[in-house]
């Protein structure tokens, strides 16, 4: 007869409220114990914790339960790859919500649901407008996860605020289709829409797509920019919106711990050699690079509670799309390793170190630009806020006082 190992509840802490309610501390500790069991190949214990988590974290429950359910799926995905005998556990989970493929209109509305992206859009656009004033040509390299959703607002602002006639706008993007959110049109079609929109604002625009990938540090993009340098009176703007975190960093190179060997470092140094007029860097303020699964899971749990906590007022379909995207990130952080683990977010402190090492200097965001961000936050739920970090010239988006996203502006020094 096969003996069944019984889960001893005294091995785990009692539920304890966190962040104003729920049992987040208890859930987190169970997830960490499960991760330890999986990585130590304790299949019996892992199975029982997975079973317990499934019973106390329904995917349609409160925000903490939905968050835990996403981590449960990620751990199960990891455990099945390491211990195939756990595959039977899959049967008690409901079907996974597929990632939605957005139309341009849907994506624009989706991005507007929270300040998560809008915060960076407004801060970056204000800094860009100030930096390019007086130039006859503005070349923007848009390294953005949101498929140019920032650009229409920038075009509007350029038409209103810059010199008359407005400058020629060159927009360069990289072809990237393997990271959510996904769109249902090609970049050629997207470019055509943007050019037509610019025309309605009396701005001449050129749209260029360069096949390039984050996995090699956008090497072909950098090569193209070196081959075709900026023309006379042309501003080069590099807008980095939540995309640089996908460039491999030091933990992918086991042969050396030196930052000089990182593709992330190489990218920034080569970017500096192009002498851009301005670089905007907007990223999530979390550290998900640890090689330890337990440490990585702890950091992820204590960051990704934020998007789940913000979605309770969403319509059901919007929340399903939003949380499916966050769940994809969680699974990538927890279940994947090596080159497959592409979600390698670093903290604001580390990004600032990187930029300074690459010989960029921070630019303080002006009070007028801060006012624009504050006005935008008033359109969203109570709980969203902003703080200015004087020691590093950054703006930080917060949710209930917790850092979420940071925005920084850089120039070569």
């Amino acid at each position: 007869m096969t003996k069944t190992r019984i889960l001893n509840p005294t091995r785990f802490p009692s539920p304890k409220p966190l962040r104003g309610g729920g049992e987040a501390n208890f859930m987190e500790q169970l997830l960490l114990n499960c991760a330890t069991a999986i990585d130590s190949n304790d299949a019996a214990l892992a199975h029982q914790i997975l079973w317990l988590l499934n019973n106390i974290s329904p995917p349609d429950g409160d925000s903490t339960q939905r968050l835990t359910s996403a981590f449960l799926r990620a751990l199960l995905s990891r455990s099945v790859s390491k211990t195939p005998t756990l595959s039977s556990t899959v049967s008690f989970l409901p079907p996974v919500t597929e990632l939605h493929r957005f139309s341009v209109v849907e994506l624009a509305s989706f991005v507007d649901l929270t300040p998560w992206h809008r915060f960076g859009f407004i801060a970056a656009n204000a800094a860009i407008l100030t930096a390019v004033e007086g130039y006859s040509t503005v070349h923007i390299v848009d390294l953005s996860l949101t498929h140019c959703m920032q650009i229409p607002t920038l075009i509007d602002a350029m038409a209103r605020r810059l010199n008359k006639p407005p400058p020629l706008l060159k927009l360069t993007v990289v072809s990237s289709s393997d990271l959510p959110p996904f769109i249902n049109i090609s970049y050629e079609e997207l470019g055509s829409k943007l050019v037509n929109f610019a025309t309605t604002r009396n701005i001449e625009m050129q749209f260029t797509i360069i096949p390039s990938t984050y996995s090699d540090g956008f090497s072909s993009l950098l090569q193209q920019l070196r081959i075709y340098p900026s023309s006379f009176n042309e501003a080069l703007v590099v807008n980095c919106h939540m995309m640089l975190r996908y460039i491999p960093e030091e933990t992918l190179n086991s042969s050396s711990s030196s930052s000089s060997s990182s593709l992330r470092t190489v990218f920034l140094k080569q970017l500096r050699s192009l002498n851009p007029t301005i670089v905007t860097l907007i990223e999530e303020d979390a550290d998900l690079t640890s090689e330890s699964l337990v440490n990585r899971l702890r950091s992820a749990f204590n960051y990704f509670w934020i998007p789940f906590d913000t979605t309770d007022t969403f319509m059901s379909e919007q929340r399903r799309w939003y949380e499916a995207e966050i769940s994809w990130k969680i699974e990538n952080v927890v279940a994947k390793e090596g080159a497959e683990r592409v979600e390698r977010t670093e903290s604001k402190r580390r990004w600032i170190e990187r930029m300074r090492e690459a010989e960029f200097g921070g630019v303080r965001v002006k009070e007028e630009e801060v006012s624009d961000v504050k006005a935008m936050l008033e359109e969203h739920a109570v709980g969203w806020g902003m703080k200015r970090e004087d020691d590093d010239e950054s703006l930080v988006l917060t949710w209930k006082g917790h850092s979420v996203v940071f925005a920084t502006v850089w120039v070569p020094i």
Side-chain angles (χ1 to χ4, degrees):
M1 179 182 296
T2 302
K3 292 184 178 180
T4 301
R5 186 172 178 178
I6 304 301
L7 183 66
N8 181 359
T10 63
R11 296 182 60 180
F12 307 106
S14 299
K16 182 179 176 182
L18 178 69
R19 292 184 280 269
E23 301 172 352
N25 276 351
F26 180 61
M27 300 289 201
E28 179 185 3
Q29 194 57 54
L30 282 176
L31 290 167
L32 294 173
N33 288 335
C34 188
T36 300
I38 290 168
D39 269 15
S40 61
N41 294 314
D42 189 339
L45 179 59
H47 183 279
Q48 292 198 45
I49 300 177
L50 289 167
W51 182 86
L52 173 60
L53 284 166
N54 182 64
N55 279 275
I56 62 176
S57 56
D60 57 353
D62 63 27
S63 60
T64 299
Q65 291 170 331
R66 299 195 307 275
L67 169 70
T68 304
S69 180
F71 276 91
L72 165 63
R73 284 188 176 282
L75 282 172
L76 185 56
S77 177
R78 184 182 181 92
S79 66
V80 169
S81 66
K82 289 177 64 69
T83 311
T85 55
L86 286 172
S87 60
S88 61
T89 312
V90 177
S91 61
F92 61 61
L93 292 176
V96 178
T97 301
E98 291 188 7
L99 291 168
H100 184 65
R101 192 165 290 275
F102 294 90
S103 69
V104 172
V105 173
E106 283 178 335
L107 183 57
S109 298
F110 182 73
V111 165
D112 283 348
L113 286 173
T114 76
W116 204 280
H117 292 291
R118 292 187 71 200
F119 167 79
F121 291 175
I122 292 173
N125 283 352
I128 291 169
L129 286 170
T130 300
V132 304
E133 194 165 354
Y135 285 90
S136 58
T137 302
V138 176
H139 182 187
I140 298 176
V141 179
D142 190 36
L143 295 175
S144 173
L145 198 61
T146 59
H147 309 289
C148 301
M149 289 297 108
Q150 175 180 343
I151 302 303
T153 305
L154 180 59
I155 291 172
D156 262 336
M158 288 177 66
R160 290 195 315 269
R161 292 174 52 178
L162 295 186
N163 45 296
K164 304 296 183 182
L168 167 67
L169 176 59
K170 297 179 180 178
L171 181 62
T172 296
V173 300
V174 296
S175 54
S176 178
S177 60
D178 60 341
L179 298 170
F182 301 125
I183 54 174
N184 65 1
I185 63 171
S186 68
Y187 263 35
E188 288 79 7
E189 293 174 278
L190 179 63
S192 178
K193 290 178 181 292
L194 286 169
V195 169
N196 290 338
F197 176 77
T199 301
T200 67
R201 300 301 188 267
N202 296 314
I203 290 181
E204 182 184 355
M205 178 178 169
Q206 299 172 0
F207 186 84
T208 303
I209 306 167
I210 296 179
S212 194
T213 175
Y214 57 83
S215 62
D216 66 358
F218 297 111
S219 60
S220 58
L221 168 67
L222 293 167
Q223 183 179 5
Q224 287 293 314
L225 293 174
R226 281 193 295 271
I227 293 172
Y228 300 104
S230 300
S231 60
F232 174 73
N233 204 30
E234 177 177 319
L236 174 60
V237 175
V238 183
N239 182 56
C240 307
H241 187 97
M242 301 191 188
M243 182 63 85
L244 298 196
R245 66 169 176 258
Y246 296 105
I247 299 176
E249 37 67 68
E250 289 76 15
T251 60
L252 267 180
N253 188 343
S254 58
S255 63
S256 171
S257 60
S258 169
S259 63
S260 63
S261 63
S262 162
L263 276 177
R264 212 166 277 193
T265 297
V266 171
F267 170 83
L268 292 176
K269 288 185 174 179
Q270 292 186 357
L271 180 61
R272 170 62 183 84
S273 71
L274 297 172
N275 199 33
T277 309
I278 186 175
V279 175
T280 56
L281 174 61
I282 290 84
E283 267 296 349
E284 295 172 346
D285 193 5
D287 185 358
L288 305 179
T289 60
S290 176
E291 295 181 81
S292 161
L293 171 63
V294 170
N295 290 343
R296 203 163 66 240
L297 190 151
R298 181 183 290 111
S299 294
F301 189 86
N302 284 284
Y303 181 74
F304 286 122
W305 73 269
I306 297 172
F308 277 85
D309 197 46
T310 66
T311 61
D312 280 339
T313 59
F314 288 9
M315 295 174 60
S316 60
E317 184 177 57
Q318 292 173 331
R319 191 174 80 183
R320 191 164 58 250
W321 293 348
Y322 194 86
E323 294 184 356
E325 185 178 320
I326 305 302
S327 296
W328 182 93
K329 293 183 181 183
I330 290 171
E331 178 160 352
N332 190 267
V333 169
V334 172
K336 305 298 183 183
E337 291 294 352
E340 288 187 320
R341 179 159 61 84
V342 298
E343 286 286 340
R344 293 174 177 267
T345 307
E346 290 186 303
S347 66
K348 174 169 71 78
R349 177 190 58 79
R350 183 65 185 111
W351 276 113
I352 288 172
E353 287 175 357
R354 287 190 184 279
M355 295 300 288
R356 289 173 176 168
E357 288 168 2
E359 299 184 352
F360 285 100
V363 177
R364 183 178 176 84
V365 179
K366 295 181 177 180
E367 286 302 325
E368 178 187 352
E369 297 157 5
V370 172
S371 298
D372 290 342
V373 174
K374 288 180 178 177
M376 178 272 295
L377 292 177
E378 291 176 357
E379 300 173 13
H380 292 279
V382 175
W384 289 108
M386 184 201 70
K387 59 184 178 181
R388 182 198 283 276
E389 302 283 4
D390 290 329
D391 59 335
D392 56 27
E393 315 292 356
S394 64
L395 292 181
V396 180
L397 176 70
T398 62
W399 172 253
K400 297 181 179 177
H402 296 267
S403 296
V404 181
V405 173
F406 67 88
T408 53
V409 181
W410 303 88
V411 295
I413 55 174

